[in-house]
PDB file of all heavy atoms in Angstrom:
ATOM      1  N   LYS O 243     -12.275  -0.018   4.230  1.00 96.00           N
ATOM      2  CA  LYS O 243     -11.354   0.924   3.584  1.00 96.00           C
ATOM      3  C   LYS O 243     -11.318   2.276   4.318  1.00 96.00           C
ATOM      4  O   LYS O 243     -10.308   2.948   4.348  1.00 96.00           O
ATOM      5  CB  LYS O 243     -11.831   1.126   2.145  1.00 96.00           C
ATOM      6  CG  LYS O 243     -10.867   1.809   1.226  1.00 96.00           C
ATOM      7  CD  LYS O 243     -11.438   1.768  -0.192  1.00 96.00           C
ATOM      8  CE  LYS O 243     -10.652   2.644  -1.125  1.00 96.00           C
ATOM      9  NZ  LYS O 243     -11.234   2.641  -2.471  1.00 96.00           N
ATOM     10  N   GLY O 244     -12.447   2.637   4.907  1.00 97.00           N
ATOM     11  CA  GLY O 244     -12.510   3.887   5.678  1.00 97.00           C
ATOM     12  C   GLY O 244     -12.710   5.109   4.820  1.00 97.00           C
ATOM     13  O   GLY O 244     -13.196   5.017   3.685  1.00 97.00           O
ATOM     14  N   GLU O 245     -12.290   6.224   5.348  1.00 98.00           N
ATOM     15  CA  GLU O 245     -12.500   7.514   4.703  1.00 98.00           C
ATOM     16  C   GLU O 245     -11.251   8.000   3.999  1.00 98.00           C
ATOM     17  O   GLU O 245     -10.144   7.706   4.428  1.00 98.00           O
ATOM     18  CB  GLU O 245     -12.919   8.562   5.749  1.00 98.00           C
ATOM     19  CG  GLU O 245     -14.195   8.223   6.516  1.00 98.00           C
ATOM     20  CD  GLU O 245     -15.409   8.211   5.626  1.00 98.00           C
ATOM     21  OE1 GLU O 245     -15.532   9.085   4.742  1.00 98.00           O
ATOM     22  OE2 GLU O 245     -16.266   7.308   5.817  1.00 98.00           O
ATOM     23  N   LYS O 246     -11.460   8.766   2.957  1.00 98.00           N
ATOM     24  CA  LYS O 246     -10.351   9.369   2.216  1.00 98.00           C
ATOM     25  C   LYS O 246      -9.581  10.303   3.152  1.00 98.00           C
ATOM     26  O   LYS O 246     -10.208  11.106   3.867  1.00 98.00           O
ATOM     27  CB  LYS O 246     -10.917  10.147   1.019  1.00 98.00           C
ATOM     28  CG  LYS O 246      -9.891  10.533   0.012  1.00 98.00           C
ATOM     29  CD  LYS O 246     -10.595  11.050  -1.234  1.00 98.00           C
ATOM     30  CE  LYS O 246      -9.591  11.652  -2.195  1.00 98.00           C
ATOM     31  NZ  LYS O 246     -10.229  12.053  -3.460  1.00 98.00           N
ATOM     32  N   ILE O 247      -8.278  10.207   3.125  1.00 98.00           N
ATOM     33  CA  ILE O 247      -7.460  11.065   3.968  1.00 98.00           C
ATOM     34  C   ILE O 247      -7.337  12.425   3.321  1.00 98.00           C
ATOM     35  O   ILE O 247      -6.938  12.533   2.148  1.00 98.00           O
ATOM     36  CB  ILE O 247      -6.047  10.440   4.186  1.00 98.00           C
ATOM     37  CG1 ILE O 247      -6.184   9.105   4.936  1.00 98.00           C
ATOM     38  CG2 ILE O 247      -5.128  11.404   4.921  1.00 98.00           C
ATOM     39  CD1 ILE O 247      -4.913   8.284   5.011  1.00 98.00           C
ATOM     40  N   THR O 248      -7.716  13.446   4.053  1.00 97.00           N
ATOM     41  CA  THR O 248      -7.719  14.788   3.462  1.00 97.00           C
ATOM     42  C   THR O 248      -6.620  15.700   4.017  1.00 97.00           C
ATOM     43  O   THR O 248      -6.502  16.836   3.594  1.00 97.00           O
ATOM     44  CB  THR O 248      -9.086  15.468   3.693  1.00 97.00           C
ATOM     45  OG1 THR O 248      -9.372  15.444   5.086  1.00 97.00           O
ATOM     46  CG2 THR O 248     -10.196  14.752   2.929  1.00 97.00           C
ATOM     47  N   ASN O 249      -5.831  15.173   4.977  1.00 96.00           N
ATOM     48  CA  ASN O 249      -4.772  16.030   5.506  1.00 96.00           C
ATOM     49  C   ASN O 249      -3.593  16.099   4.516  1.00 96.00           C
ATOM     50  O   ASN O 249      -3.566  15.377   3.512  1.00 96.00           O
ATOM     51  CB  ASN O 249      -4.307  15.559   6.895  1.00 96.00           C
ATOM     52  CG  ASN O 249      -3.690  14.167   6.849  1.00 96.00           C
ATOM     53  OD1 ASN O 249      -2.896  13.881   5.972  1.00 96.00           O
ATOM     54  ND2 ASN O 249      -4.047  13.322   7.800  1.00 96.00           N
ATOM     55  N   ALA O 250      -2.648  16.964   4.817  1.00 96.00           N
ATOM     56  CA  ALA O 250      -1.569  17.235   3.867  1.00 96.00           C
ATOM     57  C   ALA O 250      -0.369  16.304   4.063  1.00 96.00           C
ATOM     58  O   ALA O 250       0.702  16.538   3.518  1.00 96.00           O
ATOM     59  CB  ALA O 250      -1.107  18.686   4.041  1.00 96.00           C
ATOM     60  N   ASN O 251      -0.549  15.236   4.810  1.00 98.00           N
ATOM     61  CA  ASN O 251       0.587  14.359   5.144  1.00 98.00           C
ATOM     62  C   ASN O 251       0.810  13.252   4.109  1.00 98.00           C
ATOM     63  O   ASN O 251       1.742  12.435   4.259  1.00 98.00           O
ATOM     64  CB  ASN O 251       0.370  13.716   6.512  1.00 98.00           C
ATOM     65  CG  ASN O 251       0.191  14.745   7.603  1.00 98.00           C
ATOM     66  OD1 ASN O 251       0.743  15.840   7.485  1.00 98.00           O
ATOM     67  ND2 ASN O 251      -0.585  14.440   8.608  1.00 98.00           N
ATOM     68  N   PHE O 252      -0.031  13.252   3.086  1.00 98.00           N
ATOM     69  CA  PHE O 252       0.054  12.187   2.069  1.00 98.00           C
ATOM     70  C   PHE O 252       0.153  12.812   0.664  1.00 98.00           C
ATOM     71  O   PHE O 252      -0.342  13.922   0.436  1.00 98.00           O
ATOM     72  CB  PHE O 252      -1.187  11.297   2.118  1.00 98.00           C
ATOM     73  CG  PHE O 252      -1.226  10.392   3.338  1.00 98.00           C
ATOM     74  CD1 PHE O 252      -1.453  10.919   4.602  1.00 98.00           C
ATOM     75  CD2 PHE O 252      -1.019   9.031   3.219  1.00 98.00           C
ATOM     76  CE1 PHE O 252      -1.484  10.093   5.726  1.00 98.00           C
ATOM     77  CE2 PHE O 252      -1.043   8.206   4.330  1.00 98.00           C
ATOM     78  CZ  PHE O 252      -1.269   8.741   5.589  1.00 98.00           C
ATOM     79  N   THR O 253       0.757  12.089  -0.240  1.00 98.00           N
ATOM     80  CA  THR O 253       0.789  12.444  -1.653  1.00 98.00           C
ATOM     81  C   THR O 253      -0.100  11.431  -2.376  1.00 98.00           C
ATOM     82  O   THR O 253       0.062  10.232  -2.132  1.00 98.00           O
ATOM     83  CB  THR O 253       2.226  12.375  -2.203  1.00 98.00           C
ATOM     84  OG1 THR O 253       3.039  13.306  -1.478  1.00 98.00           O
ATOM     85  CG2 THR O 253       2.277  12.714  -3.681  1.00 98.00           C
ATOM     86  N   GLY O 254      -1.026  11.882  -3.173  1.00 98.00           N
ATOM     87  CA  GLY O 254      -1.940  10.963  -3.842  1.00 98.00           C
ATOM     88  C   GLY O 254      -3.120  10.632  -2.953  1.00 98.00           C
ATOM     89  O   GLY O 254      -3.346  11.278  -1.929  1.00 98.00           O
ATOM     90  N   THR O 255      -3.853   9.576  -3.330  1.00 98.00           N
ATOM     91  CA  THR O 255      -5.098   9.260  -2.624  1.00 98.00           C
ATOM     92  C   THR O 255      -4.913   8.065  -1.715  1.00 98.00           C
ATOM     93  O   THR O 255      -4.463   6.996  -2.131  1.00 98.00           O
ATOM     94  CB  THR O 255      -6.217   8.969  -3.660  1.00 98.00           C
ATOM     95  OG1 THR O 255      -6.324  10.102  -4.501  1.00 98.00           O
ATOM     96  CG2 THR O 255      -7.543   8.730  -2.960  1.00 98.00           C
ATOM     97  N   ALA O 256      -5.275   8.253  -0.454  1.00 98.00           N
ATOM     98  CA  ALA O 256      -5.187   7.174   0.530  1.00 98.00           C
ATOM     99  C   ALA O 256      -6.405   7.236   1.435  1.00 98.00           C
ATOM    100  O   ALA O 256      -7.061   8.278   1.560  1.00 98.00           O
ATOM    101  CB  ALA O 256      -3.908   7.294   1.333  1.00 98.00           C
ATOM    102  N   TYR O 257      -6.716   6.108   2.056  1.00 98.00           N
ATOM    103  CA  TYR O 257      -7.893   5.993   2.916  1.00 98.00           C
ATOM    104  C   TYR O 257      -7.482   5.460   4.286  1.00 98.00           C
ATOM    105  O   TYR O 257      -6.560   4.658   4.379  1.00 98.00           O
ATOM    106  CB  TYR O 257      -8.898   5.029   2.283  1.00 98.00           C
ATOM    107  CG  TYR O 257      -9.422   5.487   0.957  1.00 98.00           C
ATOM    108  CD1 TYR O 257      -8.689   5.273  -0.207  1.00 98.00           C
ATOM    109  CD2 TYR O 257     -10.638   6.159   0.847  1.00 98.00           C
ATOM    110  CE1 TYR O 257      -9.136   5.701  -1.445  1.00 98.00           C
ATOM    111  CE2 TYR O 257     -11.102   6.596  -0.384  1.00 98.00           C
ATOM    112  CZ  TYR O 257     -10.345   6.364  -1.526  1.00 98.00           C
ATOM    113  OH  TYR O 257     -10.803   6.800  -2.745  1.00 98.00           O
ATOM    114  N   LEU O 258      -8.178   5.916   5.312  1.00 98.00           N
ATOM    115  CA  LEU O 258      -7.864   5.478   6.682  1.00 98.00           C
ATOM    116  C   LEU O 258      -9.110   4.986   7.384  1.00 98.00           C
ATOM    117  O   LEU O 258     -10.150   5.637   7.380  1.00 98.00           O
ATOM    118  CB  LEU O 258      -7.274   6.651   7.486  1.00 98.00           C
ATOM    119  CG  LEU O 258      -7.108   6.398   9.003  1.00 98.00           C
ATOM    120  CD1 LEU O 258      -6.043   5.322   9.270  1.00 98.00           C
ATOM    121  CD2 LEU O 258      -6.768   7.676   9.722  1.00 98.00           C
ATOM    122  N   GLN O 259      -8.976   3.820   7.959  1.00 98.00           N
ATOM    123  CA  GLN O 259      -9.993   3.301   8.873  1.00 98.00           C
ATOM    124  C   GLN O 259      -9.302   3.091  10.231  1.00 98.00           C
ATOM    125  O   GLN O 259      -8.448   2.220  10.360  1.00 98.00           O
ATOM    126  CB  GLN O 259     -10.556   1.974   8.368  1.00 98.00           C
ATOM    127  CG  GLN O 259     -11.524   1.284   9.354  1.00 98.00           C
ATOM    128  CD  GLN O 259     -12.847   2.021   9.501  1.00 98.00           C
ATOM    129  OE1 GLN O 259     -13.465   2.405   8.540  1.00 98.00           O
ATOM    130  NE2 GLN O 259     -13.268   2.229  10.744  1.00 98.00           N
ATOM    131  N   MET O 260      -9.613   3.939  11.200  1.00 98.00           N
ATOM    132  CA  MET O 260      -9.044   3.736  12.531  1.00 98.00           C
ATOM    133  C   MET O 260      -9.685   2.494  13.114  1.00 98.00           C
ATOM    134  O   MET O 260     -10.908   2.327  13.077  1.00 98.00           O
ATOM    135  CB  MET O 260      -9.320   4.953  13.430  1.00 98.00           C
ATOM    136  CG  MET O 260      -8.332   6.087  13.249  1.00 98.00           C
ATOM    137  SD  MET O 260      -6.596   5.611  13.321  1.00 98.00           S
ATOM    138  CE  MET O 260      -6.394   5.334  15.075  1.00 98.00           C
ATOM    139  N   LEU O 261      -8.855   1.616  13.658  1.00 98.00           N
ATOM    140  CA  LEU O 261      -9.367   0.374  14.259  1.00 98.00           C
ATOM    141  C   LEU O 261      -9.346   0.476  15.781  1.00 98.00           C
ATOM    142  O   LEU O 261     -10.266   0.029  16.428  1.00 98.00           O
ATOM    143  CB  LEU O 261      -8.534  -0.828  13.801  1.00 98.00           C
ATOM    144  CG  LEU O 261      -8.475  -1.036  12.271  1.00 98.00           C
ATOM    145  CD1 LEU O 261      -7.488  -2.155  11.927  1.00 98.00           C
ATOM    146  CD2 LEU O 261      -9.849  -1.361  11.726  1.00 98.00           C
ATOM    147  N   ILE O 262      -8.280   1.049  16.311  1.00 97.00           N
ATOM    148  CA  ILE O 262      -8.161   1.240  17.754  1.00 97.00           C
ATOM    149  C   ILE O 262      -7.535   2.612  18.019  1.00 97.00           C
ATOM    150  O   ILE O 262      -6.499   2.939  17.432  1.00 97.00           O
ATOM    151  CB  ILE O 262      -7.204   0.181  18.377  1.00 97.00           C
ATOM    152  CG1 ILE O 262      -7.720  -1.261  18.148  1.00 97.00           C
ATOM    153  CG2 ILE O 262      -6.972   0.460  19.862  1.00 97.00           C
ATOM    154  CD1 ILE O 262      -8.873  -1.687  19.033  1.00 97.00           C
ATOM    155  N   ALA O 263      -8.169   3.391  18.840  1.00 96.00           N
ATOM    156  CA  ALA O 263      -7.592   4.668  19.230  1.00 96.00           C
ATOM    157  C   ALA O 263      -6.716   4.478  20.472  1.00 96.00           C
ATOM    158  O   ALA O 263      -7.025   3.626  21.315  1.00 96.00           O
ATOM    159  CB  ALA O 263      -8.696   5.678  19.522  1.00 96.00           C
ATOM    160  N   ALA O 264      -5.626   5.218  20.528  1.00 95.00           N
ATOM    161  CA  ALA O 264      -4.753   5.129  21.702  1.00 95.00           C
ATOM    162  C   ALA O 264      -5.485   5.657  22.916  1.00 95.00           C
ATOM    163  O   ALA O 264      -6.285   6.594  22.827  1.00 95.00           O
ATOM    164  CB  ALA O 264      -3.477   5.937  21.437  1.00 95.00           C
ATOM    165  N   ASP O 265      -5.237   5.051  24.053  1.00 95.00           N
ATOM    166  CA  ASP O 265      -5.776   5.589  25.318  1.00 95.00           C
ATOM    167  C   ASP O 265      -4.730   5.442  26.423  1.00 95.00           C
ATOM    168  O   ASP O 265      -3.626   4.952  26.178  1.00 95.00           O
ATOM    169  CB  ASP O 265      -7.108   4.926  25.694  1.00 95.00           C
ATOM    170  CG  ASP O 265      -6.994   3.437  25.887  1.00 95.00           C
ATOM    171  OD1 ASP O 265      -5.915   2.955  26.241  1.00 95.00           O
ATOM    172  OD2 ASP O 265      -8.012   2.726  25.661  1.00 95.00           O
ATOM    173  N   SER O 266      -5.072   5.852  27.624  1.00 93.00           N
ATOM    174  CA  SER O 266      -4.074   5.887  28.708  1.00 93.00           C
ATOM    175  C   SER O 266      -3.619   4.474  29.089  1.00 93.00           C
ATOM    176  O   SER O 266      -2.479   4.288  29.514  1.00 93.00           O
ATOM    177  CB  SER O 266      -4.654   6.613  29.915  1.00 93.00           C
ATOM    178  OG  SER O 266      -5.850   5.965  30.327  1.00 93.00           O
ATOM    179  N   LEU O 267      -4.490   3.504  28.935  1.00 95.00           N
ATOM    180  CA  LEU O 267      -4.126   2.131  29.277  1.00 95.00           C
ATOM    181  C   LEU O 267      -3.207   1.517  28.210  1.00 95.00           C
ATOM    182  O   LEU O 267      -2.264   0.814  28.531  1.00 95.00           O
ATOM    183  CB  LEU O 267      -5.396   1.291  29.438  1.00 95.00           C
ATOM    184  CG  LEU O 267      -5.212  -0.125  29.978  1.00 95.00           C
ATOM    185  CD1 LEU O 267      -4.691  -0.087  31.413  1.00 95.00           C
ATOM    186  CD2 LEU O 267      -6.542  -0.874  29.937  1.00 95.00           C
ATOM    187  N   ASN O 268      -3.539   1.806  26.942  1.00 95.00           N
ATOM    188  CA  ASN O 268      -2.751   1.263  25.818  1.00 95.00           C
ATOM    189  C   ASN O 268      -2.478   2.372  24.821  1.00 95.00           C
ATOM    190  O   ASN O 268      -3.300   2.631  23.934  1.00 95.00           O
ATOM    191  CB  ASN O 268      -3.555   0.115  25.172  1.00 95.00           C
ATOM    192  CG  ASN O 268      -2.735  -0.608  24.120  1.00 95.00           C
ATOM    193  OD1 ASN O 268      -1.630  -0.166  23.756  1.00 95.00           O
ATOM    194  ND2 ASN O 268      -3.254  -1.696  23.619  1.00 95.00           N
ATOM    195  N   PRO O 269      -1.363   3.051  24.997  1.00 95.00           N
ATOM    196  CA  PRO O 269      -1.119   4.249  24.168  1.00 95.00           C
ATOM    197  C   PRO O 269      -0.654   3.890  22.756  1.00 95.00           C
ATOM    198  O   PRO O 269       0.368   4.377  22.265  1.00 95.00           O
ATOM    199  CB  PRO O 269      -0.023   4.962  24.961  1.00 95.00           C
ATOM    200  CG  PRO O 269       0.708   3.885  25.661  1.00 95.00           C
ATOM    201  CD  PRO O 269      -0.267   2.760  25.923  1.00 95.00           C
TER     202      PRO O 269
END
Side-chain angles (χ1 to χ4, degrees):
K243 193 173 170 183
E245 300 295 321
K246 194 169 171 176
I247 296 171
T248 54
N249 64 44
N251 303 330
F252 289 70
T253 299
T255 304
Y257 298 82
L258 171 68
Q259 174 70 47
M260 277 310 285
L261 302 173
I262 300 284
D265 60 28
S266 57
L267 188 64
N268 187 352

